[in-house]
Amino acid sequence: MYNFEMTRPSTIADAAKALKEEDAQALGGGQTLIPTLKQRLAIPSTLVSLTGIGEMNGVCMSDANEVCVGGATSHAVVAREASAYPGLAGLASHIGDPAVRNRGTVGGSLANNDPSACYPAAALASGASIITNTREIAADDYFQGMFTTALEDGEIITEVRFPVPEKSHYEKFVQPASRFALVGVMVAKYADGVRVAVTGASEEGVFRWTEAEAALSANFSADALPDLSISGDDMISDLHGSGEYRAHLVKVMTGRAVASAA
Amino acid sequence: MPKDNTTTEGGIGAATVRREDIRFLTGEGNYTDDIRLQGECHAIFVRSDVANGVIKSIDTSTAEGMPGVLAVFTGEDFVEVGGNPAGWLINSRDGEPMKEPKRPVLAHGKVRHVGDAYAAVVAETREQALDAAGAIEADIEELPAVINMASAVAGGGLVHDEIDTNVCFDWGWIEDNRAATDAAIKAAPHVTTLELVNNRLVPNAMETRASMGDYNAGTGEYTLYTTSQNPHMSRLLICAFVLGIPENKLRVIAPDVGGGFGSKIYHYGEEALVLAASKKLKRPVRWTSTRSEAFLSDAHGRDHVTKIELACEKDGTFIAFRTETMANVGAYLSNFSTATPTFLHGTLMAGNYTVPNVYVNVKAVFTNTVPVDAYRGAGRPEATYSIERVIDMAARELGMDPIELRRKNFVKPDQYPFASAAGLEYDSGNYDLQMDKLEAMIDRPGFAARRAESEKNGKLRGLGLNAYIEACGIAPSNLVGVLGARVGLYDAATVRVNATGSLAVMVGAHSHGQGHETAFPQVVAEMLGIDPQSIDIVHGDTAKIPFGMGTYGSRSLAVCGSAVVRATEKIIAKAKKIAAHMLEAAEADIEFEAGNFSVAGTDKSVSFGEVAFKAYIPHNFPIEDIEPGLEETAFYDPANFTYPSGAYACEVELDPETGKVTIERFAAADDFGNIINPMIVTGQVHGGIGQGIGQALIEQTAYDDDGQLLSASYMDYAMPRAEDVPFYQVNHDDGTPCAHNPLGVKGCGEAGAIGSPASVVNAVIDAMQSGGKNVTHMDMPLTPSRVWEAMNAKGV
């Protein structure tokens, strides 16, 4: 680890100001950033911790039936308090291990956009709104490829609003070593249609499986899936599975998510 | 000394809670990295990021001028010192001795694997050393990496230019049996052939390696604090082979050590570097490995590619085993690397069976990978896996029950001592009894119903089992000397009775998870009839302990424990003399029982404590006949290996949609001879099976063609976790005592890792076959994607 300054502002405005410093870096729960620093793979001048900002912490309901999660809210709190959206709470309750869940934050996960992280699937399948200190970004516009998002430098995710679906479930098949998602599929059924988001599988990061969405919107049942095909060509191929295997798992996990949706 | 004779509370056979765990679990352990010395400074190693390359130049000038930097070392600084040697000389079939290229402290001329250290920086702080390490400019011309063993044998690039081959040796065992074995296989009515891989493993002890050198300019003495399983052997290697320090000027301390599994047997260059640096700087120099360094520099395990043939009669009677193995030794010969694939592997290739013909061929192959050496089980897991997989395959081909086929060929209890066709003399055992115990645990009749239940849920279910035998209690020095060992493998103990009757027992064995501090006192307490809590074990410091050879090969109790027994017998013999004097009786009339010396046929007695007190306060003492004091040392060299054996079974469920295997049941029936502490034994079996399940299902050490380790962190190298293993059923009752050591013990540390992989794989194959998949074999690890690919014929 290289030396750095550390600041822990208590307001979003102060955090935004601190992030204007050259090479300043926002720190959520640190579940990716701290190991990166320990490996000397990053040299921030200042870490701006966001976890002391009261207005970025906690879970509440909006009038539009959205679960609203503060950007600095830990996975454990979401797992405990997002009971209005069981699919989301269930997803949060299976991220990493208890230590990860008590440190890691929803804003940190979405800002990092690891291609194997769970939260991007929840945000995309829910058609969530990503609220930042400057604007509101639709999930469909937010994810722009592996580790790439619509966020500008210094922009802070202050809140994420998840519209509550009628039924949903996240089914994850874990990579044996990291326990990240080798393939994770979030299925969410809304009045106006079904959304299916896939994480872990693609070189491009989280994506919507639109063929499955169409099929499931017509018939929300695992029986709607067998005839669909999905190509493994652009999927991640590594020690833990070929692109073809991941494509196969996308289908299997989607079917299981539908079968378990509640 | 069977447990039925227990007369002492907490003595032999008691399931005493491990006393050392209190300090481990409360953070009071004292590990190498916990030790702080005045004026210490920090070493950082610069490691190669290419697998094979010529070092054209190393520019250290910038680094030397950086803040806090005290010294920079390169291979050039160690040209005059010796190499780190291999402990066993193996001769090839043609009589040629093995090739032994020098293994230097720091790479010189060439780097030979990713992680090969070619420079080191010592600075005031670790961060300063890291900064300076990053400023060292090395011009290394990358060469094509030699990774695949078959290609390495065929020729092409060389790992060591000076030996003109990548084959370290081409060993035949037993060469005189070769022709007969070949003929028997040629004439056999049935031959089952299997080609398999025993996958490379990264040891991953919880505590990474750490070393601190401390040179005292005033006395000329060095102290090395290090993570070692055998401080005396490390001292011998450093003194006699590498740095040339007189042994009396080097003290090696291995304090609490957080696991080794073999990887901390060996001397590593980092130990020599911190000693040399400390002398140069006249300050203590420490180095603690990061986990990333551990992946790239701790000796790896296994990595065999084997073709095995089993020839048998139509009725299943075994006629011959024949194997051809390529064993990866990596870029350099680690200390035990030449023994592991040969005398800890080939000699076990008759298994538990009366098979009359065995021939083993092993080629040890240099590659541009991390050196490979003994890892929990060391050669015996590879032998067991090969034998027990091919037997399972033969049972399928012959349409025989896998238990019946094994029983048909087991050595029977009345055949001991049994001369195996692979050259060992098994002293004791009862393999049918182990199989009986196993069958009693696994509810085989109920398996069909459990399978039906799994199938109802869309899953497949398989049952796999195997027998195993291992050679432990390493080792009889005479025998291993003939076989090429360059050391003796006795052990030693000193029993010191203090004046007030408490004891310190100094042992050559080293405890780094084995529970010696609890188990060894149980033995002494039993013999002396005293409270085990009054006995402490001292280990891990060459200045305190006699010259013993340390802990590996499930040897501590069988070899060092026997030395403890011998030393304690000497204590009793001397104490009897003192008691005879105190009781004014003839020594021959003194009886010793339950901690009291008494005169036969009288009520006159003195306690052990009173005798101890007299020994140290020798007033009215026959000083002309008996020396004062009560302290004895014994060395013990075993007459033979010990032969733990057993039968294991695994039941798996397989999700055919994902390829995911879950272990539903696992049963282990073991014969460890007599048991000192059944709770510790159970724990050792649990841990060993966990490692075996890890090897079988998830642990994957993968190099790419350029020699980059793809699984170089826990993001890609999967270690077994609690949810990966079931609640085990274990039974180590009714062991057959070892026939040649005083405790009748055989050793239990490695059995779980030796016996378990074959049963896991046999179970998965059984599950796949039950699902209509004609998969007769697949190589470990059976990760979900690999299982799915095998089931869907994707060519795994």
Side-chain angles (χ1 to χ4, degrees), chain A residues 20 42 62 65 68 70 80 106 153 169 175-176 181 201 209 211-212 245:
Chain A
K20 289 201 167 67
S62 74
N65 197 30
C68 302
R80 226 167 26 237
V106 63
D153 276 352
H169 188 76
Q175 194 254 56
W209 186 18
E211 292 84 350
Y245 178 62

Side-chain angles (χ1 to χ4, degrees), chain A residues 66-67 85 110 119-120 122-131 136-143 160-163 190 195:
Chain A
E66 295 160 318
V67 169
Y85 187 167
L110 292 177
Y119 264 127
L124 192 58
S126 306
S129 301
I130 319 291
I131 316 295
E136 178 173 337
I137 309 170
D140 283 323
D141 301 326
Y142 176 83
F143 299 102
V160 186
R161 296 186 189 146
F162 297 90
Y190 292 91
R195 291 173 68 104

Side-chain angles (χ1 to χ4, degrees), chain B residues 134-146:
Chain B
I136 288 178
E137 289 174 25
D139 178 9
I140 296 176
E141 181 191 339
E142 188 172 0
L143 302 173
V146 180

